[in-house]
Amino acid sequence: MDAIEDPPAVDPVNPFSPTAVARVTEGGALATTVVTVAIRDALAHLDNYLTTGNGGTVAVVGDYGTGKTHLAAELLAHARRGTTGTVQAVYLDAPADTFLSLSRRFLGRLSREAVRALVDDYRAESADAPTPAGERTQVLAERLRVELAEVTADPAIGTVLAMLVDPATEAAAWDWLMGYPPGPALVSAGVTARADVESGAVETMGVLALLLARRHDRFVLVLDELDKILSTAGRPGDETSARFSRLIGVFASAGALLVIAGLPELLHLLTPQVRQRIGPIVRMSALTAQDVRDFIRQSQLRAFGQARLTPFTVETTEYLTNLTDGVPRRLIRLCYHLYQRALQDGTQVTHRMVREAVRVQFDLASRQDVAADVRRVLTQEGWSYQRDHLIGSLRDLPVDFWVPLDEQGAGCCVLLTESVLKAEEVDELNRRVVAIRAAVPDSEVILVVVGHLPAEFAADLTETFSVEPIVHDPQTFAEDLSGSVKASMRRLEQTLGADALTSVRQRVERIQRQQTNAQRSLERLSYQLDEIRGDLRPDARTSTRRDTVSSTHQTETGLATALPGRVARVFVEAVQALDQLTGFERHLRDAFTPSRPEPARRTGEAAPLLRSGLRSRDVQRALGTALVLRRLIEAFREGVEQWYVNHRHAPHPADLQRLDRLCETYDGIAEYLPLFQLDLLDDLAPPDGGTPTEPVDRSLSWSEARSMFDGLSGQVRRQVIDS
């Protein structure tokens, strides 16, 4: 402990944040900052832009809690402290939506008055000679079109910006910039609705960046959590990537600096071509023990006017840094709780207090909750398993889950443990896995940590277990565990040299169990949809309102629907794709088609041929999957239709959450359907010449159809929101 820190007592005010969640506020005091490598690099890139004016894009990537938003606040403050005092810097928290929503948030952040003043200033600076009042708007529009040619080829933007400074057309011009269709005043001026509002939104942001950069010499826009836009509907398509690439390009052309911040997945969501257009990449770095001590001293200097380490010590800060892997949010939260505990006990922070605080703050799930998650994963994947299975002697502890590999005495263990915070706990787990392998040599062991696992201990355990431990994360746990179990069972099969017939039989049994579980899940889906319908339709008046909806459409299936045509078509195309792949609905109709005089004999053969195809067990299972998928799509459509009837006009955030629940419910069921079986339904098709109908159209490949079913919820949500 530092000598200067002995005398002071702990003050009753806690100088640390209990949440450690950074927020960017206008003119607010910055939080305590320790200059790490990441902050130093980011500030250097910003200084280079402020000096040279060369626009471009800087990416800041890091996991949750590593300080991305805090770094964004530092960049904004640094830019606004520029030597010339003319730097304009804006921060935006990107919405989990579209580029249009981002552009609207950008415009709202600037305000209509500020944009109008920006155009007014441009008009005043660019006027060379007096212009008649009747021609001012036209002249200004022409000048703007020439000036903005660097970032957009759309002449309508110059026209609309010129009309923004006219009080008579200001509101209509602002609405068009916000992405709404042009009003009568704009239409009469030759402005038409944009064919692609998303691309138009990107152009609008580039135009404003150019005007701001010219007006203020430099313009910096920080887009935080940009990965939310790119990952809203899964991996971004070509159009989204092209728009993002365009956004990067227009900011570079405008001489502005774009700072994008997000999770490491942000870069993986982009195509290689788009990644190449991004300039420097700043990766958030972990705090060292010295960084932590500097942070504690600076925090207490701000709060009490004196830089000190008490009630922490050099030893406890070292221990605290190791247990949290130097992640800033974890460290700051623990500093808050440890300071509070030291204040209550009247002592310094000890190693034991650090361990207790880590367990309380990070062991958010209980072993019972995680055990239930493990059961769900194993059940949904079709694995048979045993709970609390005893391996070895009665003196040994049972394993939490045992997944056997046929009757060969081999299998995979799943062990659950709480946070691993001491070397002694690592040694105990290592001894346990050695004992399991001594009792069952042909076994794999997967460790699930319910709580926190420092990186140093994770490396030691991986060496013994041969598989990296899984730290429970509600967002990724199911996928992580499923992948680990599958990989472990494959390794066992390869080690034991299981014959092909045995392997096939085991997989078939798993598929049968998966299908049974999928059918049960479908029953739960129907129950959930009924509940949601009850929420959306609180009284009998809702059904009356539905009957009187003027926007009712007729789908290609002949069913009336209140959904907009674009949304209804998504569902129709999904069902048609399913029918196109299987042909079952067509064959079933043919079996009951009344015979005509000429082809009577051939038509009468449809039913026997269908019965022949249905004798195959594989076809029966595949047919069950197809019927479940069809019912799932129909139930999803009904739920979305009910939502749209009640919430299509200006939905609130809570209403959009209900829509998200519908989409998540569809995804949760479709994910576990063995859709690969549908290709087996080709066996239902009668031989050539055996039916009067056309053969099943196989122009739609299986991979294309699978992507349609997997991406159905994302397409539906986008179309509903755009409607």
Side-chain angles (χ1 to χ4, degrees), residues 59 65 93 198 223 248 269 373 383 387 393 485 514 560 612 681 711:
D93 180 10
E198 286 288 293
L223 294 182
I248 294 173
L269 289 170
D373 289 343
W383 298 108
R387 281 297 318 268
S393 67
V485 173
Q514 282 179 302
S612 175
L681 292 178

Side-chain angles (χ1 to χ4, degrees), residues 167-493:
T169 56
E170 176 186 350
W174 183 255
D175 285 346
W176 188 87
L177 291 174
M178 294 286 281
Y180 298 105
L186 271 65
V187 171
S188 63
V191 178
T192 60
R194 285 167 164 169
D196 184 351
V197 293
E198 286 288 293
S199 297
V202 173
E203 299 281 323
T204 299
M205 293 182 66
V207 164
L208 293 175
L210 176 63
L211 293 177
L212 286 163
R214 299 285 170 85
R215 177 70 181 84
H216 298 282
D217 294 338
R218 303 286 186 271
F219 175 61
V220 179
L221 175 63
V222 179
L223 294 182
D224 200 2
E225 300 188 35
L226 185 63
D227 48 289
K228 292 192 297 188
I229 288 182
L230 299 179
S231 62
T232 295
R235 189 169 185 82
D238 293 340
E239 289 185 352
T240 303
S241 295
R243 288 165 186 151
F244 182 61
S245 178
R246 179 61 180 152
L247 181 67
I248 294 173
V250 296
F251 267 75
S253 299
L257 179 66
L258 177 64
V259 181
I260 57 174
L263 298 172
E265 290 78 12
L266 168 66
L267 299 178
H268 299 298
L269 289 170
L270 303 172
T271 64
Q273 294 77 11
V274 177
R275 283 200 299 270
Q276 290 173 3
R277 302 200 66 180
I278 297 175
I281 297 175
V282 177
R283 300 186 184 275
M284 300 307 298
S285 51
L287 297 178
T288 65
Q290 183 59 51
D291 291 335
V292 174
R293 288 191 285 272
D294 291 342
F295 169 76
I296 292 172
R297 293 190 180 101
Q298 289 183 35
S299 297
Q300 300 203 73
L301 176 64
R302 287 165 58 96
F304 312 128
Q306 186 174 12
R308 65 195 189 207
L309 191 58
T310 302
F312 299 89
T313 65
V314 172
E315 292 77 13
T316 54
T317 53
E318 294 277 355
Y319 189 52
L320 182 60
T321 306
N322 290 336
L323 288 189
T324 57
D325 299 326
V327 176
R329 183 173 298 166
R330 296 176 187 169
L331 280 162
I332 298 170
R333 284 178 55 190
L334 288 174
C335 283
Y336 173 86
H337 293 287
L338 290 169
Y339 189 93
Q340 204 72 13
R341 174 70 181 277
L343 178 64
Q344 294 169 358
D345 294 353
T347 64
Q348 290 186 329
V349 174
T350 65
H351 286 55
R352 180 176 180 179
M353 290 165 62
V354 172
R355 286 195 298 272
E356 289 175 353
V358 170
R359 293 189 193 281
V360 170
Q361 297 305 315
F362 297 138
D363 291 10
L364 300 182
S366 66
R367 284 187 62 142
Q368 291 78 9
D369 294 336
V370 177
D373 289 343
V374 174
R375 286 197 300 271
R376 278 191 289 271
V377 171
L378 296 179
T379 300
Q380 289 167 346
E381 292 293 328
W383 298 108
S384 60
Y385 64 89
Q386 299 172 23
R387 281 297 318 268
D388 299 326
H389 181 66
L390 185 63
I391 293 179
S393 67
L394 293 174
R395 293 173 298 178
D396 296 317
L397 293 173
V399 298
D400 296 278
F401 292 88
W402 170 252
V403 184
L405 179 66
D406 202 32
E407 291 90 20
Q408 303 181 50
C412 175
C413 300
V414 179
L415 297 181
L416 305 183
T417 183
E418 274 109 12
S419 292
V420 182
L421 306 177
K422 295 191 295 184
E424 294 82 357
E425 294 170 343
V426 175
D427 294 339
E428 177 58 32
L429 288 169
N430 286 336
R431 283 193 295 269
R432 190 172 183 196
V433 74
V434 169
I436 290 172
R437 287 177 176 155
V440 184
D442 297 321
S443 62
E444 293 276 339
V445 187
I446 298 173
L447 179 65
V448 176
V449 180
V450 186
H452 184 62
L453 177 65
E456 178 185 359
F457 293 160
D460 293 340
L461 291 169
T462 300
E463 186 175 345
T464 305
F465 279 74
S466 302
V467 179
E468 187 175 355
I470 300 174
V471 179
H472 181 263
D473 180 343
Q475 303 297 323
T476 61
F477 179 68
E479 182 179 351
D480 293 343
L481 180 62
S482 174
S484 292
V485 173
K486 288 177 183 176
S488 297
M489 299 302 274
R490 279 197 299 268
R491 283 194 297 270
L492 285 173
E493 287 180 349

Side-chain angles (χ1 to χ4, degrees), residues 501-512:
L501 283 177
T502 301
S503 298
V504 169
R505 178 175 59 80
Q506 291 171 351
R507 284 175 171 80
V508 168
E509 290 175 352
R510 274 190 60 215
I511 290 172
Q512 289 175 330

Side-chain angles (χ1 to χ4, degrees), residues 557 567-581 629-630 633-634 636 666 678 700 705 708-713 715-716:
T557 61
V567 183
R569 276 195 299 274
V570 173
F571 287 107
V572 169
E573 289 169 359
V575 173
Q576 288 178 341
L578 181 59
D579 290 343
Q580 186 176 330
L581 281 172
L629 178 58
R630 187 185 185 96
I633 294 172
E634 292 171 351
F636 182 33
Y666 170 84
L678 299 185
L700 184 71
M708 177 178 293
F709 301 139
D710 286 345
L712 181 63
S713 66
Q715 290 185 58
V716 169

Side-chain angles (χ1 to χ4, degrees), residues 454-678:
E456 178 185 359
F457 293 160
D460 293 340
L461 291 169
T462 300
E463 186 175 345
T464 305
F465 279 74
S466 302
V467 179
E468 187 175 355
I470 300 174
V471 179
H472 181 263
D473 180 343
Q475 303 297 323
T476 61
F477 179 68
E479 182 179 351
D480 293 343
L481 180 62
S482 174
S484 292
V485 173
K486 288 177 183 176
S488 297
M489 299 302 274
R490 279 197 299 268
R491 283 194 297 270
L492 285 173
E493 287 180 349
Q494 293 169 358
T495 301
L496 297 174
D499 61 273
L501 283 177
T502 301
S503 298
V504 169
R505 178 175 59 80
Q506 291 171 351
R507 284 175 171 80
V508 168
E509 290 175 352
R510 274 190 60 215
I511 290 172
Q512 289 175 330
R513 288 192 293 266
Q514 282 179 302
Q515 192 165 9
T516 300
N517 297 330
Q519 290 169 343
R520 291 172 181 165
S521 298
L522 183 61
E523 293 174 0
R524 290 196 297 270
L525 166 68
S526 299
Y527 176 76
Q528 291 172 353
L529 285 175
D530 287 340
E531 283 190 324
I532 294 173
R533 288 192 192 103
D535 291 341
L536 297 175
R537 188 169 48 195
D539 52 44
R541 286 173 297 179
T542 303
S543 58
T544 303
R545 187 164 59 250
R546 178 182 176 184
D547 293 338
T548 58
V549 171
S550 59
S551 58
T552 298
H553 299 277
Q554 197 79 9
T555 68
E556 295 177 38
T557 61
L559 297 175
T561 175
L563 290 172
R566 289 186 300 174
V567 183
R569 276 195 299 274
V570 173
F571 287 107
V572 169
E573 289 169 359
V575 173
Q576 288 178 341
L578 181 59
D579 290 343
Q580 186 176 330
L581 281 172
T582 66
F584 174 70
E585 296 290 329
R586 178 185 301 178
H587 301 320
L588 194 59
R589 286 193 300 270
D590 292 343
F592 291 94
T593 299
S595 302
R596 292 189 295 272
E598 288 297 323
R601 182 185 61 82
R602 293 170 60 190
T603 304
E605 292 177 356
L609 288 170
L610 184 60
R611 288 200 304 271
S612 175
L614 289 174
R615 288 195 182 103
S616 167
R617 278 193 166 188
D618 289 340
V619 170
Q620 292 172 12
R621 295 189 187 102
L623 184 57
T625 299
L627 294 176
V628 169
L629 178 58
R630 187 185 185 96
R631 180 67 188 98
L632 176 61
I633 294 172
E634 292 171 351
F636 182 33
R637 180 189 61 78
E638 292 171 7
V640 172
E641 183 176 2
Q642 288 293 326
W643 182 92
Y644 183 77
V645 167
N646 291 277
H647 302 294
R648 67 182 185 276
H649 298 303
H652 297 292
D655 301 329
L656 294 176
Q657 289 177 2
R658 292 188 179 187
L659 178 61
D660 290 340
R661 281 177 55 198
L662 289 171
C663 296
E664 290 166 3
T665 301
Y666 170 84
D667 289 336
I669 301 299
E671 179 182 0
Y672 293 106
L673 286 176
L675 300 182
F676 62 88
Q677 293 182 345
L678 299 185

